[in-house]
Amino acid sequence: LVASYPMPEGGVCGDITLARDAVYVTDTGGGRIIRLTTSDRDSAVGGAIALWSADPLLAGGTFPKINGIAFDGRRTLYTTNYSTGELFAVGIARDGSAEPAELIVLDTPMTNPDGIRWRGGYLYVAENPNGLSRIDPRAGTRTLIDDSLNQPTSLAFVGGDVWITEGQVLRLQAGQPPNLPFKVVRRSR
């Protein structure tokens, strides 16, 4: 263990992303975004963790609230609300502060969006009951691209492939036994 940073005010870490030399964390309990900064971008030591955005738009629904988070590589963070299925954009202002959250209305709703990642101008979202979706946030379109997954929870891009975890969260929340074994599935883009 190199460093440890407790979530402010009893927050619950949902997901993390790196953006502009900082770590951004969703607080899925409070519907907030937390930022961790350190004096040396290559070290986790000596950092400061603080509330970055407490926009009321992010706090809707029941627990869990905002969950997945992704950075577009320029100036915008995207986050999903697990309980409401909503997608939000939060811009990073020039001074590093949070701009107001904006709801992105989609042509078809998401259900229990969990992990999200940015790749090639699109958001890829693991929706627990539906599978893997691709979202164009500029057009507000959602396309289900793989419905064969077993309750996916997160994803990561490695080269030309996407690796998807099948966490089966809905079964666990309902007290049902999981379909063993748990899997990490690879799909070529």
Side-chain angles (χ1 to χ4, degrees), residues 51-127:
L51 176 63
W52 184 71
S53 175
D55 193 300
L57 272 181
L58 304 177
T62 59
F63 180 83
K65 297 179 183 194
I66 62 170
N67 197 353
I69 189 167
F71 177 54
D72 71 357
R74 298 187 325 179
R75 62 173 300 272
T76 304
L77 296 173
Y78 293 92
T79 187
T80 54
N81 185 307
Y82 187 86
S83 68
T84 66
E86 295 171 314
L87 174 66
F88 300 98
V90 182
I92 302 171
R94 288 187 188 275
D95 67 358
S97 65
E99 293 180 349
E102 294 179 29
L103 173 66
I104 298 173
V105 177
L106 301 175
D107 61 347
T108 57
M110 293 187 291
T111 305
N112 300 121
D114 205 335
I116 67 173
R117 299 295 176 258
W118 180 267
R119 180 71 159 216
Y122 295 95
L123 288 165
Y124 291 81
V125 182
E127 294 182 61

Side-chain angles (χ1 to χ4, degrees), residues 97-173:
S97 65
E99 293 180 349
E102 294 179 29
L103 173 66
I104 298 173
V105 177
L106 301 175
D107 61 347
T108 57
M110 293 187 291
T111 305
N112 300 121
D114 205 335
I116 67 173
R117 299 295 176 258
W118 180 267
R119 180 71 159 216
Y122 295 95
L123 288 165
Y124 291 81
V125 182
E127 294 182 61
N128 293 164
N130 296 332
L132 182 64
S133 293
R134 182 180 65 230
I135 294 176
D136 182 339
R138 296 164 308 280
T141 56
R142 175 186 159 270
T143 305
L144 183 62
I145 59 175
D146 190 339
D147 64 356
S148 69
L149 299 163
N150 189 0
Q151 296 187 2
T153 49
S154 197
L155 60 140
F157 287 97
V158 179
D161 297 329
V162 59
W163 295 81
I164 306 142
T165 57
E166 294 181 333
Q168 303 180 49
V169 170
L170 297 175
R171 283 189 190 87
L172 297 174
Q173 289 172 349

Side-chain angles (χ1 to χ4, degrees), residues 4-38 47-55 58 66-71 77-79 90 92 96-98:
S4 179
Y5 299 95
M7 291 285 286
E9 301 171 25
V12 178
C13 176
D15 200 358
I16 64 173
T17 194
L18 302 173
R20 296 189 175 177
D21 298 332
V23 177
Y24 291 83
V25 181
T26 55
D27 171 7
T28 195
R32 308 172 305 164
I33 300 175
I34 309 300
R35 181 171 65 181
L36 169 66
T37 56
T38 61
I49 192 165
L51 176 63
W52 184 71
S53 175
D55 193 300
L58 304 177
I66 62 170
N67 197 353
I69 189 167
F71 177 54
L77 296 173
Y78 293 92
T79 187
V90 182
I92 302 171
S97 65

